mmCIF file of all heavy atoms in Angstrom:
data_model
loop_
_atom_site.group_PDB
_atom_site.id
_atom_site.type_symbol
_atom_site.label_atom_id
_atom_site.label_comp_id
_atom_site.label_asym_id
_atom_site.label_seq_id
_atom_site.Cartn_x
_atom_site.Cartn_y
_atom_site.Cartn_z
ATOM 1 N N THR A 223 0.675 7.897 1.777
ATOM 2 C CA THR A 223 0.505 9.263 1.319
ATOM 3 C C THR A 223 1.287 10.201 2.202
ATOM 4 O O THR A 223 1.683 9.860 3.333
ATOM 5 C CB THR A 223 -1.001 9.652 1.270
ATOM 6 O OG1 THR A 223 -1.420 9.698 2.620
ATOM 7 C CG2 THR A 223 -1.806 8.674 0.502
ATOM 8 N N LEU A 224 1.497 11.424 1.738
ATOM 9 C CA LEU A 224 2.125 12.458 2.552
ATOM 10 C C LEU A 224 1.329 12.758 3.777
ATOM 11 O O LEU A 224 1.872 13.016 4.880
ATOM 12 C CB LEU A 224 2.319 13.744 1.687
ATOM 13 C CG LEU A 224 3.313 13.706 0.558
ATOM 14 C CD1 LEU A 224 3.340 14.981 -0.203
ATOM 15 C CD2 LEU A 224 4.698 13.456 1.195
ATOM 16 N N HIS A 225 -0.058 12.755 3.650
ATOM 17 C CA HIS A 225 -0.896 12.992 4.800
ATOM 18 C C HIS A 225 -0.648 11.920 5.873
ATOM 19 O O HIS A 225 -0.541 12.159 7.075
ATOM 20 C CB HIS A 225 -2.364 12.944 4.376
ATOM 21 C CG HIS A 225 -3.307 13.136 5.483
ATOM 22 N ND1 HIS A 225 -3.516 14.312 6.162
ATOM 23 C CD2 HIS A 225 -4.142 12.229 6.158
ATOM 24 C CE1 HIS A 225 -4.438 14.202 7.111
ATOM 25 N NE2 HIS A 225 -4.788 12.894 7.122
ATOM 26 N N ASP A 226 -0.536 10.593 5.424
ATOM 27 C CA ASP A 226 -0.318 9.494 6.379
ATOM 28 C C ASP A 226 1.031 9.690 7.019
ATOM 29 O O ASP A 226 1.201 9.500 8.269
ATOM 30 C CB ASP A 226 -0.390 8.145 5.667
ATOM 31 C CG ASP A 226 -1.776 7.843 5.196
ATOM 32 O OD1 ASP A 226 -2.746 8.382 5.734
ATOM 33 O OD2 ASP A 226 -1.882 7.108 4.207
ATOM 34 N N THR A 227 2.033 10.105 6.252
ATOM 35 C CA THR A 227 3.387 10.339 6.810
ATOM 36 C C THR A 227 3.380 11.412 7.824
ATOM 37 O O THR A 227 3.994 11.302 8.874
ATOM 38 C CB THR A 227 4.376 10.674 5.619
ATOM 39 O OG1 THR A 227 4.355 9.630 4.719
ATOM 40 C CG2 THR A 227 5.752 10.819 6.217
ATOM 41 N N GLY A 228 2.673 12.500 7.530
ATOM 42 C CA GLY A 228 2.518 13.586 8.439
ATOM 43 C C GLY A 228 1.870 13.174 9.739
ATOM 44 O O GLY A 228 2.320 13.588 10.838
ATOM 45 N N ARG A 229 0.812 12.370 9.611
ATOM 46 C CA ARG A 229 0.133 11.888 10.846
ATOM 47 C C ARG A 229 1.069 10.961 11.702
ATOM 48 O O ARG A 229 1.017 11.014 12.940
ATOM 49 C CB ARG A 229 -1.112 11.108 10.421
ATOM 50 C CG ARG A 229 -2.339 12.037 10.136
ATOM 51 C CD ARG A 229 -2.651 12.918 11.323
ATOM 52 N NE ARG A 229 -3.790 13.782 11.098
ATOM 53 C CZ ARG A 229 -5.045 13.500 11.440
ATOM 54 N NH1 ARG A 229 -5.360 12.421 12.050
ATOM 55 N NH2 ARG A 229 -6.000 14.401 11.211
ATOM 56 N N LEU A 230 1.876 10.148 11.018
ATOM 57 C CA LEU A 230 2.809 9.282 11.724
ATOM 58 C C LEU A 230 3.806 10.111 12.475
ATOM 59 O O LEU A 230 4.125 9.859 13.635
ATOM 60 C CB LEU A 230 3.482 8.350 10.772
ATOM 61 C CG LEU A 230 2.609 7.234 10.167
ATOM 62 C CD1 LEU A 230 3.347 6.447 9.165
ATOM 63 C CD2 LEU A 230 2.198 6.245 11.268
ATOM 64 N N ALA A 231 4.346 11.083 11.789
ATOM 65 C CA ALA A 231 5.315 12.010 12.449
ATOM 66 C C ALA A 231 4.707 12.748 13.658
ATOM 67 O O ALA A 231 5.277 12.918 14.675
ATOM 68 C CB ALA A 231 5.877 13.010 11.454
ATOM 69 N N GLU A 232 3.434 13.201 13.444
ATOM 70 C CA GLU A 232 2.719 13.915 14.524
ATOM 71 C C GLU A 232 2.511 12.933 15.713
ATOM 72 O O GLU A 232 2.686 13.345 16.875
ATOM 73 C CB GLU A 232 1.365 14.406 13.983
ATOM 74 C CG GLU A 232 0.512 15.133 14.995
ATOM 75 C CD GLU A 232 -0.742 15.669 14.376
ATOM 76 O OE1 GLU A 232 -0.694 16.721 13.725
ATOM 77 O OE2 GLU A 232 -1.784 15.017 14.548
ATOM 78 N N ALA A 233 2.042 11.708 15.402
ATOM 79 C CA ALA A 233 1.853 10.769 16.501
ATOM 80 C C ALA A 233 3.103 10.449 17.288
ATOM 81 O O ALA A 233 3.065 10.310 18.538
ATOM 82 C CB ALA A 233 1.289 9.480 15.897
ATOM 83 N N GLU A 234 4.242 10.421 16.574
ATOM 84 C CA GLU A 234 5.525 10.190 17.259
ATOM 85 C C GLU A 234 5.901 11.382 18.078
ATOM 86 O O GLU A 234 6.337 11.180 19.280
ATOM 87 C CB GLU A 234 6.630 9.928 16.251
ATOM 88 C CG GLU A 234 8.029 9.766 16.825
ATOM 89 C CD GLU A 234 8.161 8.607 17.786
ATOM 90 O OE1 GLU A 234 7.284 7.701 17.785
ATOM 91 O OE2 GLU A 234 9.137 8.580 18.522
ATOM 92 N N LEU A 235 5.659 12.569 17.651
ATOM 93 C CA LEU A 235 5.922 13.751 18.460
ATOM 94 C C LEU A 235 5.052 13.768 19.667
ATOM 95 O O LEU A 235 5.559 14.063 20.802
ATOM 96 C CB LEU A 235 5.635 15.027 17.609
ATOM 97 C CG LEU A 235 6.747 15.636 16.820
ATOM 98 C CD1 LEU A 235 6.287 16.860 16.062
ATOM 99 C CD2 LEU A 235 8.012 15.985 17.679
ATOM 100 N N VAL A 236 3.738 13.476 19.525
ATOM 101 C CA VAL A 236 2.821 13.422 20.652
ATOM 102 C C VAL A 236 3.314 12.390 21.685
ATOM 103 O O VAL A 236 3.342 12.665 22.876
ATOM 104 C CB VAL A 236 1.401 13.164 20.174
ATOM 105 C CG1 VAL A 236 0.496 12.835 21.348
ATOM 106 C CG2 VAL A 236 0.884 14.314 19.391
ATOM 107 N N ARG A 237 3.667 11.203 21.191
ATOM 108 C CA ARG A 237 4.129 10.123 22.088
ATOM 109 C C ARG A 237 5.309 10.558 22.948
ATOM 110 O O ARG A 237 5.335 10.333 24.096
ATOM 111 C CB ARG A 237 4.490 8.890 21.212
ATOM 112 C CG ARG A 237 4.828 7.686 22.091
ATOM 113 C CD ARG A 237 5.370 6.541 21.236
ATOM 114 N NE ARG A 237 6.677 6.891 20.674
ATOM 115 C CZ ARG A 237 7.824 6.833 21.380
ATOM 116 N NH1 ARG A 237 7.841 6.464 22.602
ATOM 117 N NH2 ARG A 237 9.006 7.192 20.760
ATOM 118 N N ARG A 238 6.256 11.214 22.263
ATOM 119 C CA ARG A 238 7.430 11.684 23.003
ATOM 120 C C ARG A 238 7.163 12.848 23.919
ATOM 121 O O ARG A 238 7.650 12.949 25.069
ATOM 122 C CB ARG A 238 8.532 12.101 21.992
ATOM 123 C CG ARG A 238 9.125 10.968 21.199
ATOM 124 C CD ARG A 238 9.921 11.400 20.004
ATOM 125 N NE ARG A 238 10.895 12.421 20.357
ATOM 126 C CZ ARG A 238 11.471 13.206 19.445
ATOM 127 N NH1 ARG A 238 11.207 13.048 18.154
ATOM 128 N NH2 ARG A 238 12.317 14.153 19.809
#
Side-chain angles (χ1 to χ4, degrees):
T223 67
L224 289 175
H225 178 74
D226 292 334
T227 303
R229 279 302 180 96
L230 287 172
E232 181 177 278
E234 175 61 16
L235 271 179
V236 169
R237 186 189 67 79
R238 289 166 50 195

